[in-house]
Amino acid sequence: MNTQSFALRHIGIREKDIEKMLSVIGADSIEELIEQTIPADIRLNEGLTLPEALTEQEFLNLSQNLAEKNRMFKSYIGMGYHESITPSVIKRNILENPGWYTAYTPYQAEIAQGRLEALLNFQTVVCDLTKMEIANASLLDESTAAAEAMTMLFDVRSRNQKKENVVKFFVSEEVLPQTLSLLQTRAIPLGIELVIGDHENFEFSTDFYGALLQYPGKHGQVNDYAEFVSKAQESNIKVAVAADILSLVLLTPPGEWGVDVVVGTTQRFGIPLGYGGPHAAFFATKEAYKRNIPGRIIGLTKDTDGNDALRMALQTREQHIKRDKATSNICTAQVLLAVMAGMYAVYHGPEGLKDIATRVHNYTKTVAETIKAYGFEQLNTVYFDTIKFKVNNVQGIRTVSESKGINLNYIDDETVSISINEAFTKKDIRPLVNCFVESQALNEKGSITEYEGQTIPDALVRKSSFLEHETFNSYHSETDMMRYIKKLERKDLSLNHSMISLGSCTMKLNAASEMLPLSWARWGNIHPFVPVEQAEGYHLVLRELEEQLNVITGFAATSLQPNSGAQGEYAGLMVIRAYHESRGESHRNICIIPASAHGTNPASAVMAGMKVVVTKTDEQGNIDVVDLEEKVNEHSENLAALMVTYPSTHGVFESSIRYITKLIHDNGGQVYMDGANMNAQVGLTNPATIGADVCHLNLHKTFAIPHGGGGPGVGPICVAEQLKPFLPSNPLIETGGEKAITAISAAPWGSSLVCLISYGYIKMLGAEGLTDATKMAILNANYIKARLNGAFEVLYLGEQGRVGHEMIIDCRPFKENGIEVTDIAKRLMDYGYHSPTVSFPVGGTMMIEPTESESLVELDRFCDALLSIRAEITEASVEDANNVLKNAPHTLAMVTSDNWGFPYSRQKAAFPLTYVAENKFWPTVRRTDEAFGDRNLMCTCPAVEEYAEV
């Protein structure tokens, strides 16, 4: 045993276990199993050309050395990003706590009540501060949220507007440049015409369906948009506002003007800058749009006993249902960051937020008045935290500022802006002011007068209350806050309790050594728009990570910008679109997608301006090659792309894959490979070898970024040589190819901070460890298949009877006993397990993926639980629904009640197998009533009397 080997700690299977597992599977060796699983013509002949694996200590030392290369300037750049202070109680108990960061999206509400409550808090904060009626549980970044507002309003145009000429969308010139770039990306494929200009001179016209305003503007000006909104309403123009959430503590909230959507980021609510992310964006709108709002909404409902319960409402897996009819491809949110931002508001409460916002504003006024006193012209008439100056020596100011370790926003040759943040203190005033003073060789004047009292006109001063709910007025001591966080944590089942075997989701170990650097200031406090030489450590990591991913995929180049898997899909298709246009083939707009594909695939294709053609899958779960040939021949002149998941969504390595990709290429198309199942490829095959041209990778799956309860995610795209020139750009920091498409996300390198995790995962595993991880993932899946043989039918198998890294078990036959797949999912909670993926990609089934991180003991426990449930199914009948499965899950309140009206014992209900008693996890509520919650949608923290009236 090499105790310094990271692979030894990451991979759960011990050497002594392999022979036993192979015996159960019926294979003589790991190599034989792999040969029976992966087609020979796509196997790699050589190993990955990566450096030798580092030990955990070596990686931590390397991370420290790289962090030292990041220069810690005071950044007053603003532009949507501000240094904030993460309360230590939140940092220690949420950001650094696997009980929070290893949880999955709360599809199983009964074992996710803590996270759901934290997200309900987040929605309440957003609704209260914006004064809108409904908010979702976070989006990816402010620019993405603004783009989602633009497309949602486009989709909800009134009947008499749905004409070809009503496609114009007004964008204020005050909007952040990164947002404008992303709006351009989204608008072109959908045929939306952007009109950029001054809102004061806008000529309201029925040609426009919507408008986007920035509040405050990108350089700090606070405008009163009430009249604009009123005129827009008269012209049937919907209005969205991108708002700074901290400013809404002091400024009139946009909801009070009657706007339709308010978006923004909650980054300055205690979230590190992280060189651009991850940060939780918000999206708030009117109740009328509740079925159009993108992303996830947390709602209040009741459980079987009539008790309050939370669950995901309305939008649950929208893309899986609507597919190419979906109005958004958003799948991943930023849950962990939304939880932190919501907790920031809980910890500070309304009075604390007022104190922070007022302090920021007062310091801004102090800086403004002091610099003006030296003769500089301030250009803002109304401001919150950002002030703009006209100067005659921008380069001189920059030289002095950088010598003092200060970054300002240099707008042009004669204009500079300064954004004050929460971390700003009195001692920061003089160095900042002196950047201007010394640039003009002026004499420093005496002491600085600190100004108090806002400069905001009465018409723009917030008068409405916010955060009056008890939750935001109860936990202001660290002791109380710590206990509140722990109370919620205990309600959630995460990877620190048991295996989460969700198929296609790859819930593997998120190692502590990978996570530790995220808390270090030299990684967390870097603004995304600092000069690149100040972020040298980041660039060394990001460049090497891109190179690592190039090696792993076999491709020529990588963009780390997409900050979710679905964004990666969209980016890949937009790159393909640009490639065809560069060749004079813009007519190529047909995207062929297998019927089994993840729902975001067709949704992404439609967003990229493509028409979806569905190809069949055969009885073995493979692409129906005959049907595909027919579709390709029919559409060969206009064929843009094939989207394929490999191994398939059914968990099988299709042997015809190279023929399929050649067929697409021979007919002028490009092949996009969905990287959701990359955990079965790394080191054994790769997307380039199967014939793909572009793939996205889920760094929050294969490459160990934690799911965080439903986010953060990172979805970079890797591309072949011909697509390299089209990789996405950013308007403020140079990135992408020489023919780059416009931005996919707000920050140049997306969620840079969490890329450290994947970088560490690859560095510590090395070529051999990465390949062994893939082999063990395949071994574990085939072991579970073998153990369940005879009790559950596995739907799809490879040509030699093997599965890849996951499998689908068929639960439909159990309807004969009155048991649905949902009953099995809920019963697994009593055994201490999160359900596998339910009814995807086939209704009435479960998709199981164990990953390489689980031990044989845990695999056996999981199998024992499913086999025990199978025996319980045999005991059930259609005639009698009062059984242990239909009543699952069983809560502590049920089992300890004085009344027990069930025909089975309390022990069978709560402790069905011996191991359960050793580490019992209690579901917090009984089954949630989905229909009740959708009929009575409540998405903010309710007062008790409000809920009683429902």
Side-chain angles (χ1 to χ4, degrees), residues 632-676:
V632 170
N633 290 334
E634 181 183 354
H635 298 288
S636 61
E637 291 299 313
N638 298 312
L639 180 62
L642 168 75
M643 297 186 82
V644 60
T645 301
Y646 201 75
S648 73
T649 311
H650 295 142
V652 175
F653 283 91
E654 301 178 50
S655 60
S656 58
I657 188 63
R658 294 188 72 171
Y659 172 77
I660 289 170
T661 56
K662 183 177 185 299
L663 176 67
I664 300 302
H665 291 147
D666 289 348
N667 286 273
Q670 296 282 284
V671 176
Y672 162 89
M673 193 204 86
D674 187 314

Coordinates of all heavy atoms in Angstrom, one line a residue, residues 632-676:
V632 N -30.4 11.1 -42.5 CA -29.2 11.8 -43.1 C -29.4 12.0 -44.6 O -29.2 13.1 -45.1 CB -28.0 11.0 -42.8 CG1 -26.8 11.6 -43.6 CG2 -27.6 11.0 -41.3
N633 N -29.9 11.0 -45.3 CA -30.1 11.1 -46.7 C -31.1 12.2 -47.0 O -31.0 12.9 -48.0 CB -30.5 9.8 -47.3 CG -29.3 8.8 -47.3 OD1 -28.2 9.2 -47.3 ND2 -29.7 7.5 -47.3
E634 N -32.2 12.2 -46.2 CA -33.3 13.1 -46.4 C -32.8 14.6 -46.2 O -33.2 15.5 -46.9 CB -34.4 12.8 -45.5 CG -35.6 13.8 -45.6 CD -36.7 13.5 -44.6 OE1 -36.6 12.5 -43.9 OE2 -37.7 14.2 -44.6
H635 N -31.9 14.8 -45.3 CA -31.5 16.1 -44.9 C -30.0 16.4 -45.2 O -29.5 17.4 -44.7 CB -31.7 16.3 -43.4 CG -33.2 16.2 -43.0 ND1 -34.1 17.1 -43.3 CD2 -33.8 15.2 -42.3 CE1 -35.3 16.7 -42.8 NE2 -35.1 15.6 -42.2
S636 N -29.4 15.7 -46.1 CA -28.0 15.8 -46.3 C -27.6 17.2 -46.7 O -26.5 17.7 -46.3 CB -27.5 14.8 -47.3 OG -28.1 15.0 -48.6
E637 N -28.4 17.9 -47.6 CA -28.0 19.2 -48.0 C -28.0 20.3 -46.9 O -27.3 21.2 -47.0 CB -29.0 19.7 -49.1 CG -28.9 18.9 -50.4 CD -27.5 19.1 -51.1 OE1 -27.1 20.2 -51.2 OE2 -26.9 18.0 -51.5
N638 N -28.8 20.0 -45.9 CA -28.9 21.0 -44.8 C -28.5 20.5 -43.5 O -28.7 21.1 -42.4 CB -30.4 21.5 -44.7 CG -30.9 22.2 -45.9 OD1 -30.2 23.0 -46.4 ND2 -32.0 21.7 -46.4
L639 N -27.8 19.3 -43.5 CA -27.3 18.7 -42.2 C -26.3 19.5 -41.6 O -25.2 19.8 -42.1 CB -26.8 17.3 -42.5 CG -26.3 16.5 -41.3 CD1 -27.4 16.3 -40.3 CD2 -25.7 15.2 -41.7
A640 N -26.5 20.0 -40.3 CA -25.5 20.7 -39.6 C -24.8 19.8 -38.6 O -23.5 19.9 -38.5 CB -26.2 21.8 -38.8
A641 N -25.5 19.0 -37.9 CA -24.8 18.2 -36.8 C -25.7 17.0 -36.4 O -26.9 17.0 -36.6 CB -24.6 19.2 -35.6
L642 N -25.0 16.1 -35.8 CA -25.6 15.0 -35.0 C -25.1 15.3 -33.5 O -24.0 15.5 -33.3 CB -25.1 13.7 -35.5 CG -25.4 12.5 -34.5 CD1 -26.8 12.1 -34.6 CD2 -24.5 11.3 -34.8
M643 N -26.1 15.2 -32.6 CA -25.8 15.2 -31.2 C -25.9 13.8 -30.7 O -26.9 13.1 -30.8 CB -26.7 16.1 -30.4 CG -26.7 17.5 -30.8 SD -27.7 18.6 -29.7 CE -26.7 18.8 -28.3
V644 N -24.8 13.3 -30.1 CA -24.8 11.9 -29.7 C -24.1 11.8 -28.3 O -23.2 12.5 -28.0 CB -24.0 11.0 -30.7 CG1 -22.6 11.4 -30.8 CG2 -24.1 9.5 -30.2
T645 N -24.7 11.0 -27.4 CA -24.2 10.8 -26.1 C -23.4 9.4 -26.2 O -24.0 8.5 -26.7 CB -25.2 10.7 -25.0 OG1 -26.0 11.9 -25.0 CG2 -24.7 10.5 -23.6
Y646 N -22.2 9.4 -25.7 CA -21.4 8.2 -25.7 C -20.6 8.0 -24.5 O -19.9 8.9 -24.0 CB -20.5 8.2 -27.0 CG -20.0 6.9 -27.4 CD1 -20.9 6.0 -28.1 CD2 -18.7 6.4 -27.1 CE1 -20.5 4.7 -28.5 CE2 -18.3 5.1 -27.5 CZ -19.2 4.3 -28.2 OH -18.8 3.0 -28.5
P647 N -20.7 6.7 -23.9 CA -21.6 5.7 -24.2 C -23.1 6.3 -24.2 O -23.3 7.3 -23.6 CB -21.5 4.7 -23.0 CG -20.3 5.1 -22.2 CD -19.9 6.5 -22.6
S648 N -24.0 5.5 -24.7 CA -25.3 6.1 -24.9 C -26.0 6.4 -23.6 O -25.5 5.9 -22.5 CB -26.2 5.0 -25.7 OG -26.5 3.9 -24.8
T649 N -27.1 7.1 -23.6 CA -27.8 7.4 -22.4 C -28.3 6.1 -21.8 O -28.7 6.1 -20.6 CB -29.0 8.3 -22.8 OG1 -28.5 9.4 -23.6 CG2 -29.7 8.9 -21.5
H650 N -28.4 5.1 -22.5 CA -28.8 3.8 -22.0 C -27.6 3.0 -21.4 O -27.8 1.9 -20.9 CB -29.4 2.9 -23.1 CG -30.7 3.5 -23.7 ND1 -31.0 3.4 -25.0 CD2 -31.7 4.1 -23.1 CE1 -32.2 4.0 -25.2 NE2 -32.6 4.4 -24.0
G651 N -26.4 3.6 -21.3 CA -25.3 3.0 -20.7 C -24.6 2.0 -21.5 O -23.9 1.1 -20.9
V652 N -24.6 2.1 -22.8 CA -24.0 1.1 -23.7 C -23.0 1.7 -24.6 O -23.3 2.8 -25.2 CB -25.1 0.3 -24.5 CG1 -24.5 -0.7 -25.5 CG2 -26.1 -0.4 -23.5
F653 N -21.9 1.1 -24.9 CA -20.9 1.5 -25.9 C -21.4 0.9 -27.2 O -21.3 -0.3 -27.5 CB -19.5 1.0 -25.6 CG -18.8 1.7 -24.5 CD1 -18.9 1.3 -23.2 CD2 -18.0 2.8 -24.8 CE1 -18.2 2.0 -22.2 CE2 -17.3 3.5 -23.8 CZ -17.4 3.1 -22.5
E654 N -21.9 1.8 -28.1 CA -22.4 1.3 -29.4 C -21.3 1.0 -30.3 O -20.4 1.8 -30.6 CB -23.3 2.4 -30.0 CG -24.5 2.8 -29.1 CD -25.4 3.9 -29.6 OE1 -25.8 3.8 -30.8 OE2 -25.7 4.8 -28.9
S655 N -21.3 -0.2 -30.9 CA -20.2 -0.6 -31.7 C -20.2 0.1 -33.1 O -19.2 0.1 -33.8 CB -20.3 -2.2 -31.9 OG -21.5 -2.5 -32.5
S656 N -21.4 0.6 -33.5 CA -21.5 1.3 -34.8 C -21.1 2.8 -34.8 O -21.3 3.5 -35.7 CB -22.9 1.1 -35.3 OG -23.8 1.7 -34.4
I657 N -20.5 3.2 -33.7 CA -20.3 4.7 -33.5 C -19.4 5.3 -34.6 O -19.7 6.4 -35.1 CB -19.8 5.0 -32.1 CG1 -19.7 6.5 -31.8 CG2 -18.4 4.4 -31.9 CD1 -21.1 7.2 -31.8
R658 N -18.4 4.6 -35.0 CA -17.5 5.2 -36.0 C -18.2 5.2 -37.3 O -17.9 6.2 -38.1 CB -16.2 4.4 -36.0 CG -15.4 4.6 -34.8 CD -14.0 4.0 -34.9 NE -13.1 4.8 -35.7 CZ -11.8 4.6 -35.8 NH1 -11.2 3.6 -35.1 NH2 -11.1 5.4 -36.6
Y659 N -19.0 4.3 -37.6 CA -19.8 4.3 -38.9 C -20.7 5.5 -38.8 O -20.9 6.2 -39.8 CB -20.5 3.0 -39.1 CG -21.5 3.1 -40.3 CD1 -21.0 3.0 -41.6 CD2 -22.9 3.3 -40.0 CE1 -21.9 3.2 -42.6 CE2 -23.7 3.4 -41.1 CZ -23.3 3.4 -42.4 OH -24.1 3.5 -43.5
I660 N -21.3 5.7 -37.7 CA -22.3 6.8 -37.5 C -21.6 8.1 -37.7 O -22.2 9.0 -38.5 CB -23.0 6.7 -36.1 CG1 -23.9 5.5 -36.0 CG2 -23.7 8.0 -35.8 CD1 -24.4 5.2 -34.7
T661 N -20.5 8.4 -37.1 CA -19.8 9.7 -37.2 C -19.3 9.9 -38.7 O -19.4 11.0 -39.2 CB -18.7 9.8 -36.2 OG1 -17.7 8.7 -36.4 CG2 -19.2 9.8 -34.8
K662 N -18.9 8.8 -39.3 CA -18.4 8.9 -40.7 C -19.6 9.3 -41.6 O -19.5 10.1 -42.5 CB -17.8 7.6 -41.2 CG -17.2 7.7 -42.6 CD -16.5 6.4 -43.0 CE -15.8 6.5 -44.3 NZ -16.8 6.8 -45.4
L663 N -20.7 8.7 -41.3 CA -21.9 9.0 -42.1 C -22.3 10.5 -42.0 O -22.6 11.1 -43.0 CB -23.1 8.1 -41.6 CG -24.5 8.4 -42.2 CD1 -24.5 7.9 -43.7 CD2 -25.6 7.6 -41.4
I664 N -22.2 11.1 -40.9 CA -22.5 12.5 -40.7 C -21.4 13.3 -41.5 O -21.8 14.3 -42.2 CB -22.5 12.9 -39.2 CG1 -23.5 12.1 -38.4 CG2 -22.7 14.4 -39.0 CD1 -24.9 12.2 -38.9
H665 N -20.2 13.0 -41.3 CA -19.1 13.7 -42.0 C -19.2 13.6 -43.5 O -19.0 14.6 -44.2 CB -17.7 13.2 -41.6 CG -17.4 13.6 -40.1 ND1 -16.6 12.8 -39.3 CD2 -17.7 14.6 -39.4 CE1 -16.5 13.3 -38.1 NE2 -17.2 14.5 -38.1
D666 N -19.6 12.5 -44.0 CA -19.7 12.3 -45.5 C -20.8 13.1 -46.0 O -20.9 13.3 -47.3 CB -20.0 10.8 -45.8 CG -18.7 9.9 -45.6 OD1 -17.6 10.5 -45.4 OD2 -18.8 8.7 -45.5
N667 N -21.7 13.5 -45.2 CA -22.9 14.3 -45.6 C -22.8 15.8 -45.2 O -23.8 16.5 -45.1 CB -24.2 13.7 -45.2 CG -24.5 12.4 -46.0 OD1 -25.2 12.5 -47.0 ND2 -24.1 11.3 -45.5
G668 N -21.6 16.2 -44.8 CA -21.3 17.6 -44.6 C -21.6 18.1 -43.2 O -21.5 19.3 -42.9
G669 N -21.9 17.2 -42.3 CA -22.3 17.6 -40.9 C -21.1 17.5 -40.0 O -20.0 16.9 -40.3
Q670 N -21.3 18.0 -38.8 CA -20.3 17.9 -37.7 C -20.9 17.0 -36.6 O -22.2 17.0 -36.4 CB -19.9 19.2 -37.2 CG -19.1 20.1 -38.2 CD -17.7 19.7 -38.3 OE1 -16.8 20.0 -37.5 NE2 -17.4 19.0 -39.4
V671 N -20.1 16.4 -35.8 CA -20.6 15.5 -34.7 C -20.3 16.2 -33.3 O -19.2 16.5 -33.0 CB -20.0 14.1 -34.8 CG1 -20.5 13.3 -33.6 CG2 -20.3 13.5 -36.1
Y672 N -21.4 16.4 -32.6 CA -21.3 16.9 -31.2 C -21.5 15.7 -30.3 O -22.5 15.0 -30.4 CB -22.4 18.0 -31.0 CG -22.6 18.2 -29.5 CD1 -21.8 19.2 -28.8 CD2 -23.5 17.5 -28.8 CE1 -22.0 19.3 -27.4 CE2 -23.7 17.6 -27.4 CZ -22.9 18.6 -26.8 OH -23.1 18.7 -25.4
M673 N -20.6 15.5 -29.4 CA -20.7 14.4 -28.4 C -21.0 15.0 -27.0 O -20.3 15.9 -26.5 CB -19.4 13.6 -28.3 CG -19.7 12.3 -27.6 SD -18.2 11.6 -26.8 CE -18.1 12.5 -25.3
D674 N -22.1 14.6 -26.5 CA -22.5 15.0 -25.1 C -21.6 14.2 -24.1 O -21.5 13.0 -24.2 CB -23.9 14.6 -24.9 CG -24.5 15.2 -23.5 OD1 -23.8 15.0 -22.5 OD2 -25.6 15.7 -23.5
G675 N -20.9 15.0 -23.3 CA -19.9 14.4 -22.4 C -20.4 13.9 -21.1 O -19.6 13.7 -20.1
A676 N -21.7 13.8 -20.9 CA -22.3 13.4 -19.6 C -21.7 12.1 -19.1 O -21.6 11.8 -17.9 CB -23.8 13.3 -19.7

